[in-house]
Amino acid sequence: MQKLKRINKYKLNGVQTLALGFIAVIIIGGLILSLPISSASGESTNLLDALFTSTSAVCVTGLVTLDTGTHWNAFGQTVIILLIEIGGLGFMSFTTFVAILLGKKITLRDRLMVQEALNTFSIQGLVRMVKYVLGFTFAVQFFGAMLLSTQFIPEFGLKKGFFYSIFHSISAFCNAGFDLFGNFSSLTGFSSNIAVILTISALIIIGGLGFTVWLEIYSYKYKGIRKLSVHAKIVLLITGVLLIGGFVAMFFIEYSNPETIGGMGLKDKLLNSFFASVSPRTAGFNSISTDGMTTAGKFLTIILMFIGGSPGSTAGGLKTATFGLIILTVISVIKGREDTEAFGKRFAKELVYKAFALLIIAVGLIIVVTMLLSVTEKGIEFIDLLYEATSAFATVGLTTGVTQKLSTVGRIIIMIMMYFGRVGPLTVALALTNRKKKVDYKYPEGKILIG
């Protein structure tokens, strides 16, 4: 009995398994990428740079110290895209999928961990949900690759063009932002290509909306579900507002900037302004110079990066639903309403508390990392350091060129930030959910002046 207690004491819970699982995948990926078989030169890669690349891939960020298109060979690039796929969908989803293929039984503990990984409301139908997620993912990525191949195959040839199409379709859907075009150029060479920009945009938006929302949309359209849940409505509303608002704001902010869209025709200005609004939703691709943006343009990008995508998606950031709940709470306070309300529903106060807790934790992390980078990275402007810290936290991958200039300490700080950005907020949310305590007493009400 005593021995059983000791075993249970050291048994990992779902949150710990997820957190350690990500670390394990990062280390394995880093070790493989450090080997000579992964580099284009056939030489070993510095372990720190290999681990940085692996962390960025598993955390679907896109920040890189080595150029993905020129430093790694086809094997190394394939390892990176596999790490992105595992990181974007969650290794628990893959583990469950493999178990299903092998005919193994999915235990209750497995289901609970999948629930945490996919951020769903309940464990009912989770195995079916995993099949749906993977089927939906591969289908979207396949069609995305087919569309991209119409542009990449004529330019790069059949073999290389097809590989590029698959790589960038997966990278876009998983909101990773890795590219193979060389010299850290991202999509700047395709800034006038409507097919490439709109296909990548569609993949980013689809991947960032969340699997539960897409399942609801499918059920609403084809299975006779009468209405969408309040969660889906808020996610779609906030996503739409951010996309349109970001597009309009970016268009006017950068309109006359010769280093970004100032020298383009109206069509290209509209196209690249829209993409500059889509990509910061944690994707990390850029079709115009991020370093050349105005300070206002950079700050707008920071805001979009911070909010990020939606819960249960491949995207990072604070999340649209969390941001929406905070805004709705502020509106309710201004109106003098007791509860936070939307679409004829009210939200529990504990949900509101958790949203504000996540906001404070996220802001706190970015402040601390920006301050640390201000100490370790000399000669770099504050706005660029804030940009880098936010990009790492929100697992975006956009940079103003800071990543390649980082010191050893700076790279380690950003690696830790990417990990916390991918795993931290989820872990905190789950910890808050699981730490609900009932007490039989209340303290006397205290008063404090606000404002």
Side-chain angles (χ1 to χ4, degrees):
M1 191 71 178
Q2 197 71 23
K3 187 177 179 181
L4 187 62
K5 284 182 179 179
R6 281 201 300 270
I7 292 172
N8 287 333
K9 182 181 178 181
Y10 295 105
K11 196 172 184 180
L12 298 176
N13 60 33
V15 175
Q16 292 169 330
T17 301
L18 287 173
L20 292 176
F22 269 97
I23 292 176
V25 175
I26 287 169
I27 292 173
I28 293 170
L31 291 174
I32 295 173
L33 290 174
S34 69
L35 299 174
I37 58 171
S38 298
S39 68
S41 65
E43 298 176 355
S44 297
T45 301
N46 178 278
L47 184 58
L48 181 60
D49 286 324
L51 284 172
F52 191 99
T53 303
S54 180
T55 303
S56 185
V58 174
C59 297
V60 290
T61 306
L63 293 174
V64 289
T65 55
L66 302 171
D67 185 66
T68 312
T70 55
H71 180 82
W72 310 105
N73 59 20
F75 175 77
Q77 291 165 357
T78 302
V79 170
I80 289 170
I81 207 62
L82 286 174
L83 292 174
I84 288 171
E85 194 81 280
I86 293 170
L89 301 180
F91 72 95
M92 274 309 302
S93 299
F94 274 93
T95 304
T96 304
F97 182 63
V98 171
I100 293 169
L101 290 178
L102 295 175
K104 292 187 177 181
K105 185 179 179 182
I106 309 301
T107 65
L108 177 60
R109 185 168 181 268
D110 294 331
R111 292 170 190 268
L112 289 171
M113 284 193 286
V114 172
Q115 181 193 7
E116 291 167 352
L118 294 178
N119 200 9
T120 58
F121 290 112
S122 70
I123 63 171
Q124 286 186 337
L126 270 181
V127 174
R128 187 169 65 251
M129 177 73 167
V130 169
K131 292 178 181 177
Y132 154 75
V133 166
L134 293 173
F136 176 78
T137 296
F138 297 144
V140 172
Q141 290 174 352
F142 173 77
F143 284 114
M146 290 300 101
L147 289 173
L148 291 175
S149 67
T150 63
Q151 307 301 309
F152 292 161
I153 289 177
E155 183 162 347
F156 300 108
L158 180 62
K159 186 179 177 181
K160 190 175 181 180
F162 188 63
F163 181 71
Y164 273 33
S165 300
I166 294 173
F167 187 99
H168 293 95
S169 181
I170 294 173
S171 183
F173 178 83
C174 290
N175 281 220
F178 279 79
D179 74 273
L180 301 178
F181 301 115
N183 301 315
F184 305 101
S185 61
S186 194
L187 296 178
T188 52
F190 296 88
S191 59
S192 298
N193 191 313
I194 295 177
V196 171
I197 296 298
L198 291 185
T199 299
I200 295 290
S201 296
L203 289 166
I204 292 168
I205 293 169
I206 292 169
L209 268 180
F211 301 110
T212 53
V213 172
W214 280 112
L215 184 58
E216 277 199 51
I217 292 172
Y218 172 79
S219 300
Y220 178 78
K221 190 170 182 180
Y222 297 106
K223 293 192 174 182
I225 302 297
R226 292 187 177 183
K227 58 183 180 179
L228 297 174
S229 69
V230 68
H231 168 77
K233 289 178 181 177
I234 288 177
V235 164
L236 292 171
L237 174 64
I238 297 299
T239 299
V241 169
L242 291 174
L243 287 175
I244 296 170
F247 160 57
V248 173
M250 192 65 73
F251 178 78
F252 285 108
I253 288 171
E254 297 294 324
Y255 187 87
S256 301
N257 184 359
E259 294 189 53
T260 53
I261 65 173
M264 296 179 178
L266 181 60
K267 175 182 73 70
D268 289 342
K269 283 184 178 183
L270 291 169
L271 180 66
N272 287 278
S273 296
F274 175 69
F275 192 71
S277 174
V278 172
S279 192
R281 311 300 309 290
T282 85
F285 290 104
N286 61 286
S287 61
I288 56 176
S289 170
T290 49
D291 188 33
M293 279 186 173
T294 61
T295 301
K298 289 179 182 178
F299 193 66
L300 173 61
T301 304
I302 288 171
I303 293 170
L304 293 173
M305 288 194 297
F306 179 75
I307 297 170
S310 304
S313 72
T314 59
L318 181 68
K319 301 293 171 42
T320 52
T322 307
F323 176 73
L325 188 59
I326 291 168
I327 295 299
L328 289 170
T329 302
V330 172
I331 292 172
S332 295
V333 170
I334 292 171
K335 288 183 174 180
R337 304 297 293 265
E338 185 177 346
D339 297 311
T340 302
E341 301 165 341
F343 302 108
K345 302 284 184 180
R346 66 177 178 84
F347 302 99
K349 282 186 170 55
E350 63 178 31
L351 197 62
V352 175
Y353 297 156
K354 289 170 189 173
F356 275 94
L358 286 172
L359 173 65
I360 298 301
I361 291 168
V363 171
L365 274 172
I366 291 171
I367 289 173
V368 169
V369 169
T370 304
M371 288 182 67
L372 290 173
L373 291 177
S374 299
V375 174
T376 62
E377 313 307 312
K378 305 296 182 183
I380 299 177
E381 291 187 17
F382 175 79
I383 187 70
D384 293 330
L385 294 177
L386 178 61
Y387 193 107
E388 191 81 4
T390 307
S391 182
F393 164 76
T395 67
V396 180
L398 288 174
T399 180
T400 56
V402 171
T403 312
Q404 294 81 48
K405 302 174 186 175
L406 289 172
S407 64
T408 299
V409 176
R411 293 180 186 191
I412 293 171
I413 291 170
I414 291 297
M415 283 170 61
I416 294 170
M417 186 61 153
M418 288 190 290
Y419 175 77
F420 275 113
R422 181 69 179 128
V423 180
L426 174 63
T427 303
V428 170
L430 294 171
L432 287 171
T433 301
N434 296 330
R435 287 179 61 85
K436 186 176 178 182
K437 270 187 176 181
K438 285 189 176 181
V439 291
D440 297 325
Y441 61 88
K442 285 187 178 181
Y443 288 111
E445 188 176 284
K447 294 184 178 180
I448 186 172
L449 297 174
I450 297 292

